[in-house]
Amino acid sequence: MDKQQLSKDILKLVGGEENIDQVTHCMTRLRFNLNDNQKADKATLKNTPGVMGVMENGGQFQVIIGNDVPIVYNAFVGNMSKSPNADNATSSASTGEKKKRNPVSALFDFISGIFTPILPAITGAGMIKGIVAILVALGWLSDTSSTYIILSAIGDGAFYFLPIILAISAARKLGSNMYIGAALAAGIMHPTITALLSEGDSTFAGIKVIAATYSSTVIPIILAIWIASYVEKAVDRVTHASLKLLVVPTVTLLIMVPLTLMTVGPLGTVLGNGLSGGISWLFDNMSIFASILIGGTMSLLIITGMHYALLPIVVGSMTTLGYDFIIPLMFAANLAQGGAAFGVGLRSRNSKTKSLAYSTGLTAVMGITEPAMYGINMKFKKPFIAALIGGAIAGGFMGIFNVKSYVITGLAGLPSVAAFISPAISTLLYALAGGLIAIVAAAVLTYILGFQEENASEPVAAPAAEPATPAATTSAAVTEEAKAQDEQVFSPITGEVKPLSEVPDPAFSEEIMGKGFAIQPSEGRVVSPINGTVFSLSKSGHAIGLVSDTGAEMLIHIGIDTVKLKGQFFSPKVQAGAKVAVGDVLMEFDREQIEKAGYTTITPVIITNMHQYESIESAGRTTIKEKDLLFTAKA
């Protein structure tokens, strides 16, 4: 690939030099602050050879390149007549970002940042509620037994105390103290307050406190924590360092708990009830239309990130009404993506495409759609259209029969069918029928519409690799023509193992950059996960690229958007070109300071040349130490 030509193409497609205010790069992408994001031709950029993806995040326009980004960046800067002022990118970009940040984009980012970390908790609780419902429906568990009461409490606990969980997540997202946020939520949910408000309106210092119930609510605590973040920071600014520990939490709680009870909480309750009531009205009066529309566009919402805006609605409906209409439509859309991939498998004459289509299709019907959606359906275009139509048809069917979900599940796929169990077994049957319609309709439409496939009789050859950086041209590197071998990847960090889907950045969560796992660090050190060579080290220290002795190209990306720290809190222990063995120290970083600065430290560890491997096989650990086996890349 001609990097000079690629850089010229990107320069033209982002709107030309006059549209660029700032440009810098991190380990994998070019990061632009454009004068007008609308002047960039996103569609053409996405289809440009050498560009892996395009995304906008917080007003910043990002072009995902991969390991070759330093070469492309240098060529890009060389094609500009004026300096991009990359050295000042952090401060300037931050200022510009605040001036030009799209409020809708900022809102989606805020909602995503709050709800993504808590999904495992509410998913686990939701699945337990579903299991209990199955046991009761089958007559294997009495709803008056102590076992039922305990299991129900386990399932209901995360939802009842949802304001406390949300307070912690929201405070972390806003860069304020998580535990002050938790104390605020605990204050408004205290049994004494709950009992007081259950009796009607009350007063505090002569001011009326409106009766409201805060258990299982969403919007009141989010509004409260948002306001509290400003109060906390304002108090912190005017308090002497020696008194901060005493004064800041005391003043924040004394202001915010009464303020929440008197104004913010009731307002949030009204908004939440109105939102849930509005959705209920829509599905009661325009059920078929709404179901067709949402079922047919859900995959588009996922691609754009707008589906995060539905999370408060889903949680609010579930906690207020006891059921939700949107999860069934997610279920239909996901199964339609799987059906479209099956259709590709049925029609394709390429053995490699067949195998990939069937495997990713199966993954999609289990609730994980990204491999099928990005690897198969969007690649061939028409199957993706077929999946949208299949989702709309199935959504219409579910709208006709008023299918609801009674618990929240993390993955809207076949394993989550317990969510549709209600006192009437027909809801489950209609949901399963709708899922079958989604699969069959998308598969049949894909087969009928067809798609253009290169080298149908032979597997499509992967393009030859080019070195990611000059340092990557070592004897350890293996060319694309060489036969790949299984690669064991050991943990570079001690912490909790997370799926990439939990990383709050689509480039990782949607596996655009590659496959692997993420680690939430409990210590601030990174060691080598393989025997090989360091081929790239970002100037800011937040990302490390390696190539193993057998040719696996890897990326360790410490935190999300930590490039903006410009190297602060990072201490590299190696240089590009260094030979390393498993366990050699690569980097030390100040985890607490990075998180205090408002950045997550979740660290993706991925294989970036996945076209050389068939799959990723997890070692099955949820917590891990340095040098423990993390996963194996199977050739």
Side-chain angles (χ1 to χ4, degrees):
M1 183 191 304
D2 186 340
K3 301 300 186 297
Q4 279 289 343
Q5 186 57 51
L6 175 60
S7 68
K8 292 177 181 177
D9 292 341
I10 294 173
L11 179 59
K12 178 181 177 182
L13 294 171
V14 296
E17 190 171 338
E18 64 278 4
N19 195 37
I20 299 173
D21 179 46
Q22 298 281 351
V23 58
T24 185
H25 75 89
C26 60
M27 193 72 172
T28 58
R29 63 194 81 181
L30 296 173
R31 293 171 173 261
F32 294 93
N33 287 94
L34 300 179
N35 296 318
D36 185 355
N37 284 3
Q38 298 302 315
K39 290 183 179 181
D41 188 345
K42 291 178 66 174
T44 305
L45 266 172
K46 288 179 180 179
N47 294 316
T48 300
V51 174
M52 301 177 70
V54 177
M55 60 184 289
E56 293 182 56
N57 186 5
Q60 193 176 68
F61 191 87
Q62 302 173 7
V63 180
I64 304 169
I65 304 295
N67 291 335
D68 291 338
V69 70
I71 302 173
V72 176
Y73 174 79
N74 290 334
F76 188 93
V77 172
N79 289 324
M80 296 181 68
S81 60
K82 62 179 182 180
S83 169
N85 197 23
D87 291 338
N88 297 323
T90 298
S91 57
S92 301
S94 297
T95 303
E97 184 176 302
K98 288 181 180 178
K99 288 190 297 183
K100 296 178 283 188
R101 196 172 191 185
N102 184 310
V104 176
S105 173
L107 177 63
F108 289 161
D109 176 68
F110 179 57
I111 294 172
S112 167
I114 292 174
F115 280 90
T116 300
I118 73 167
L119 282 177
I122 60 177
T123 296
M127 289 305 296
I128 290 170
K129 288 167 67 72
I131 292 169
V132 171
I134 292 174
L135 295 175
V136 172
L138 294 174
W140 295 351
L141 182 65
S142 168
D143 59 6
T144 59
S145 68
S146 59
T147 301
Y148 171 84
I149 293 172
I150 292 172
L151 289 175
S152 295
I154 297 171
D156 290 334
F159 295 99
Y160 184 86
F161 293 104
L162 185 62
I164 296 177
I165 299 173
L166 277 172
I168 294 170
S169 185
R172 181 173 183 175
K173 175 66 178 176
L174 291 166
S176 54
N177 189 292
M178 297 182 290
Y179 306 104
I180 295 177
L184 194 167
I188 66 173
M189 291 186 65
H190 193 279
T192 303
I193 298 294
T194 302
L196 178 67
L197 296 181
S198 67
E199 297 174 358
D201 294 347
S202 185
T203 61
F204 175 80
I207 303 173
K208 185 176 181 180
V209 176
I210 300 173
T213 300
Y214 296 108
S215 61
S216 304
T217 56
V218 174
I219 295 180
I221 195 62
I222 292 177
L223 290 175
I225 297 299
W226 176 59
I227 296 172
S229 69
Y230 288 98
V231 173
E232 180 188 338
K233 290 169 186 175
V235 176
D236 184 81
R237 279 196 300 270
V238 299
T239 304
H240 190 273
S242 63
L243 298 174
K244 286 182 187 291
L245 180 62
L246 177 65
V247 173
V248 174
T250 303
V251 174
T252 302
L253 290 172
L254 279 176
I255 292 174
M256 285 309 305
V257 173
L259 182 64
T260 301
L261 291 172
M262 291 185 291
T263 58
V264 179
L267 174 61
T269 300
V270 170
L271 291 174
N273 290 340
L275 194 58
S276 299
I279 293 294
S280 181
W281 180 91
L282 179 66
F283 279 94
D284 286 342
N285 294 275
M286 305 175 65
S287 178
I288 299 175
F289 171 76
S291 299
I292 291 173
L293 179 64
I294 297 175
T297 59
M298 182 59 68
S299 295
L300 294 174
L301 295 179
I302 291 172
I303 291 171
T304 59
M306 292 176 65
H307 65 297
Y308 287 115
L310 300 176
L311 288 172
I313 298 174
V314 170
V315 176
S317 296
M318 196 69 71
T319 55
T320 304
L321 305 174
Y323 54 79
D324 168 68
F325 292 101
I326 294 175
I327 289 177
L329 303 177
M330 292 182 177
F331 177 76
N334 285 357
L335 266 60
Q337 290 292 337
F342 290 148
V344 171
L346 289 170
R347 178 147 183 155
S348 174
R349 290 177 291 165
N350 182 312
S351 59
K352 187 173 182 180
T353 299
K354 272 184 177 292
S355 175
L356 184 62
Y358 287 136
S359 63
T360 57
L362 179 61
T363 303
V365 299
M366 299 303 284
I368 304 172
T369 59
E370 284 82 0
M373 190 158 60
Y374 290 100
I376 294 293
N377 300 337
M378 291 180 68
K379 175 182 178 182
F380 295 119
K381 297 181 177 63
K382 288 182 180 178
F384 184 69
I385 296 172
L388 298 182
I389 297 172
I393 294 171
F397 175 86
M398 290 185 171
I400 291 172
F401 291 100
N402 204 28
V403 177
K404 305 181 185 75
S405 172
Y406 294 89
V407 298
I408 294 176
T409 56
L411 299 174
L414 289 180
S416 65
V417 294
F420 306 115
I421 294 178
S422 72
I425 195 68
S426 59
T427 301
L428 172 62
L429 299 178
Y430 287 136
L432 291 173
L436 182 61
I437 289 171
I439 294 172
V440 173
V444 170
L445 282 169
T446 297
Y447 195 88
I448 293 172
L449 292 174
F451 49 90
Q452 189 168 357
E453 186 176 16
E454 297 179 8
N455 300 332
S457 60
E458 296 294 335
V460 180
E466 296 183 42
T469 67
T473 312
T474 68
S475 57
V478 178
T479 64
E480 298 290 327
E481 288 75 19
K483 181 177 176 58
Q485 303 176 32
D486 287 359
E487 183 71 53
Q488 286 190 319
V489 177
F490 298 88
S491 179
I493 299 175
T494 296
E496 294 182 53
V497 180
K498 305 285 186 181
L500 287 180
S501 59
E502 292 190 21
V503 178
D505 185 328
F508 295 109
S509 62
E510 296 171 3
E511 299 185 339
I512 296 172
M513 291 300 307
K515 294 186 178 183
F517 289 87
I519 299 174
Q520 185 65 58
S522 59
E523 298 179 4
R525 189 169 81 157
V526 180
V527 302
S528 177
I530 46 90
N531 297 324
T533 304
V534 178
F535 71 74
S536 183
L537 181 65
S538 65
K539 289 182 179 180
S540 58
H542 74 291
I544 306 163
L546 304 107
V547 58
S548 76
D549 291 340
T550 58
E553 296 177 10
M554 295 194 60
L555 172 65
I556 303 171
H557 197 284
I558 307 165
I560 301 302
D561 279 340
T562 43
V563 63
K564 295 178 181 178
L565 292 171
K566 296 184 69 177
Q568 190 179 13
F569 311 130
F570 292 94
S571 178
K573 302 302 178 184
V574 293
Q575 295 181 341
K579 291 286 292 182
V580 292
V582 173
D584 288 352
V585 179
L586 305 178
M587 174 76 63
E588 291 181 353
F589 60 96
D590 192 326
R591 180 175 60 88
E592 293 182 356
Q593 288 298 322
I594 293 171
E595 292 177 350
K596 189 175 180 180
Y599 297 91
T600 175
T601 54
I602 192 168
T603 300
V605 181
I606 61 174
I607 299 287
T608 57
N609 59 333
M610 271 305 300
H611 53 274
Q612 287 189 264
Y613 299 91
E614 291 293 331
S615 63
I616 292 292
E617 185 178 283
S618 171
R621 292 182 169 92
T622 55
T623 58
I624 201 163
K625 295 181 179 180
E626 293 175 0
K627 299 189 289 184
D628 285 346
L629 181 63
L630 177 60
F631 64 84
T632 302
K634 306 292 288 187

